[in-house]
């Protein structure tokens, strides 16, 4: 049986498909085979790292390596005859049971919310999210601030009537 060298998890779908020489139909079938293991990973909190976040949505990096390895192994071993050939192109290594399954799982986490990804260019608009009014809080002194950028060391846009100022809470300056 032949094998393929692994691709980086960040490679695009087009690069991945070209590397494996698979059709869209086979790709979709393989993606469906990943679904149960994705669900298995996210439904059991014992799969999370000790220092990972404890509430969904989870990132790939929130999970311990052992459950991820188990998921990759199971995906590669429980495939149907039509996709088995492609799963088996990934030779198991000490660090990864199946790099093809890892790529699919990683991308499942990366695109889990099925957002429309757009490049943000000057003048482009954000299509969803809270409005400025929903993000804005009045401090009771005639000023309001934008909660979107209220992290430590970040500038907060302060509004006083029609005037907009940027307040830096770390330096306590406007």
């Amino acid at each position: 049986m032949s094998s393929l060298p692994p691709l980086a998890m960040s490679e695009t779908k087009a690069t991945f498909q070209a590397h494996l020489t698979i059709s869209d139909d086979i790709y979709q079938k393989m993606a469906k085979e990943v679904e149960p293991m994705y669900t298995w990973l996210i439904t059991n909190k014992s799969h999370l790292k000790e220092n990972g976040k404890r509430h969904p949505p989870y990132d790939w990096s929130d999970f311990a390596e052992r459950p991820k390895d188990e998921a990759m192994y199971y995906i590669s071993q429980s495939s149907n005859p039509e996709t088995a050939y492609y799963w088996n192109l990934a030779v198991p290594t000490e660090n990864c049971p199946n790099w093809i399954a890892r790529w699919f799982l990683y991308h499942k986490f990366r695109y889990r919310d099925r957002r429309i990804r757009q490049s943000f260019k000057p003048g482009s608009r954000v299509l969803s999210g809270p409005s400025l009014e929903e993000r804005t809080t009045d401090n009771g002194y005639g000023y309001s601030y934008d909660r979107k950028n209220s992290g430590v060391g970040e500038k907060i846009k302060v509004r006083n009537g029609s005037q907009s100022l940027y307040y830096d809470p770390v330096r306590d300056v406007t």
Side-chain angles (χ1 to χ4, degrees):
M1 177 182 301
S2 62
S3 65
L4 288 175
L7 285 178
M9 289 190 302
S10 60
E11 287 294 344
T12 64
K13 176 183 170 184
T15 303
F16 179 80
Q17 282 186 274
H19 190 64
L20 268 65
T21 61
I22 60 172
S23 66
D24 283 334
D25 182 50
I26 295 293
Y27 179 90
Q28 292 303 321
K29 288 177 181 177
M30 292 174 81
K32 281 190 184 266
E33 291 175 348
V34 170
E35 286 286 333
M37 293 316 298
Y38 170 78
T39 302
W40 175 76
L41 276 172
I42 65 171
T43 55
N44 190 336
K45 290 195 178 207
S46 69
H47 297 153
L48 295 169
K49 290 180 182 175
E50 290 293 322
N51 62 348
K53 61 183 171 183
R54 302 315 255 170
H55 304 287
Y58 300 114
D59 295 325
W60 174 253
S61 60
D62 292 329
F63 291 90
E65 293 304 314
R66 188 188 52 68
K68 289 193 284 191
D69 288 348
E70 289 174 11
M72 288 180 255
Y73 179 78
Y74 184 79
I75 290 167
S76 65
Q77 298 303 310
S78 63
S79 58
N80 72 50
E82 199 172 4
T83 60
Y85 169 78
Y86 297 101
W87 293 117
N88 292 327
L89 289 174
V91 174
T93 65
E94 183 178 314
N95 297 327
C96 180
N98 189 296
W99 70 264
I100 296 170
R102 180 185 62 192
W103 187 93
F104 269 101
L105 280 169
Y106 173 79
H107 282 264
K108 179 68 178 164
F109 278 94
R110 191 170 179 192
Y111 299 106
R112 70 188 169 275
D113 54 5
R114 304 193 194 302
R115 284 183 289 197
I116 298 173
R117 302 218 179 241
Q118 70 181 50
S119 57
F120 290 97
K121 298 175 183 156
S124 69
R125 294 186 55 196
V126 176
L127 300 177
S128 65
S131 67
L132 179 61
E133 291 77 26
E134 292 168 331
R135 290 191 329 248
T136 304
T137 300
D138 188 346
N139 68 1
Y141 296 101
Y143 290 93
S144 60
Y145 65 94
D146 185 345
R147 291 191 311 264
K148 181 179 180 191
N149 298 321
S150 60
V152 174
E154 295 181 14
K155 293 184 178 178
I156 300 172
K157 191 168 189 176
V158 179
R159 289 175 189 72
N160 181 7
S162 63
Q163 184 180 14
S164 289
L165 309 168
Y166 283 95
Y167 174 71
D168 184 344
V170 173
R171 293 176 187 85
D172 195 26
V173 294
T174 310

